Amino acid sequence: MGLRVDRNAKSGVAVVTLDRPERHNAVTLPMAAELAAKWREFRYDDEVRAAVITGAGERAFCTGIDRDAQVPQPSSPYTIDDPLLTLGPKANDLWKPVIAAVNGMACGGAFYLIGEAEFVIAAEHATFFDPHTTYGMVSAYEAISMAQRMPFGEVARMSLMGTAERVSARRAYEIGLVSELVPGHDVLSAALRAAETIASFPTEAVQGTVRAVWSAKEAARAQAMAHAPHLIALGNADPSHQAELFAARGRGGEFRTR
C-alpha cells in the first residue's frame, strides 16, 4: 500500500513511513485513506504515546498526491473533493505529539503533514517548495498551513515562486519552519530521540500541552481553511491545461535554492 508503520512498545513511539521512494513518496488514494485510519487508530492505542512521520529513502519526504491519482470533482463551484484534507493527525483528532523527520524534498501536499506536526527535524539536504502556481493551481490549504509556521513574506514567496525556487533546509531553520538540522543519515534517529523523550512523560500532560499550543492559532486557521475551497474552485486552471503545464516541466531552466 506504500505505508509502513513500526511500533516500539518499550519507547511508546510509532514510526510512520511513506514507503514509495521510487515515486518520491507521493501519496496514492489508498495511502491517504490508510494514513487517516492509522492516525485514528493511534487514538485508541495506549502503547503509542508519540509518533514520527517520515519518508523512505534520502531523495524525498513527500511530494504530495501522486500525479496518476484520479480524483473526481463535483460539478458545483462551491465545493471540491481533496483526499489529502484528512492526511494529517490533527484532521483525525489525534493529539498525541507527531514529529516530522524530513529527509529530502518536501513539496505541495507534504505540507498537509508538516503543517500538522508539532515540529520538524530536517536533513541538511532537505528542500521545501510549493509547485501549485507553476501548474495552474491555487495554493490554498498548503499556504494556509505554512502561514501558521512561517513569516508572511516567506510563505508568500514560497507559494508564489512555484518550482522556480526551493527553500533550503538552512533557510527553513532560520525562519523557524525547521527546529533542528542534522546530517541526512541522522534525521530519523534525531526525531526518534525527541519522540522517545516526549513519550516518557505522562501522556495526559503531553496531550493537554499539544492541545493548548494548537488552540493558540486554531481559530484563525479554521477561518482561513473555510475560504480555501472557493479560492481553489475559482482559481484553478482547467485540468487539461494543468496537464499541459505539468508535461512541460523542466523546460523553463533550473530552479534556484536559497
Side-chain angles (χ1 to χ4, degrees), residues 201-226:
F201 302 149
T203 189
E204 293 83 0
V206 167
Q207 291 186 54
T209 300
V210 170
R211 292 297 298 256
V213 170
W214 279 83
S215 68
K217 60 182 180 180
E218 192 55 33
R221 181 175 181 270
Q223 185 177 31
M225 287 289 194

Side-chain angles (χ1 to χ4, degrees), residues 226-248:
H227 292 291
H230 312 300
L231 299 173
I232 293 169
L234 287 168
N236 271 14
D238 182 88
S240 61
H241 186 40
Q242 291 181 31
E244 291 173 3
L245 293 169
F246 190 78

Side-chain angles (χ1 to χ4, degrees), residues 106-209:
C107 66
F111 297 135
Y112 288 76
L113 293 169
I114 292 173
E116 293 194 10
E118 269 53 69
F119 55 90
V120 179
I121 295 175
E124 292 169 341
H125 70 279
T127 57
F128 303 82
F129 64 103
D130 189 347
H132 280 75
T133 55
T134 300
Y135 302 129
M137 295 179 283
V138 174
S139 177
Y141 294 115
E142 297 83 359
I144 291 167
S145 292
M146 290 301 95
Q148 313 303 309
R149 295 180 172 270
M150 299 166 63
F152 179 88
E154 295 291 340
V155 69
R157 178 169 178 160
M158 183 176 73
S159 301
L160 293 169
M161 291 293 287
T163 60
E165 186 173 88
R166 297 186 182 184
V167 178
S168 67
R170 171 56 57 182
R171 182 59 180 161
Y173 175 75
E174 291 170 350
I175 63 177
L177 173 59
V178 169
S179 67
E180 183 180 359
L181 287 182
V182 295
H185 60 81
D186 196 37
V187 66
L188 181 56
S189 58
L192 281 171
R193 285 193 295 270
E196 288 167 1
T197 297
I198 296 169
S200 72
F201 302 149
T203 189
E204 293 83 0
V206 167
Q207 291 186 54
T209 300

Side-chain angles (χ1 to χ4, degrees), residues 24 58-63 102-107 110 125-129 166:
H24 298 310
E58 297 182 354
R59 297 180 63 191
F61 167 73
C62 177
T63 54
V102 177
N103 47 327
M105 288 188 295
C107 66
H125 70 279
T127 57
F128 303 82
F129 64 103
R166 297 186 182 184

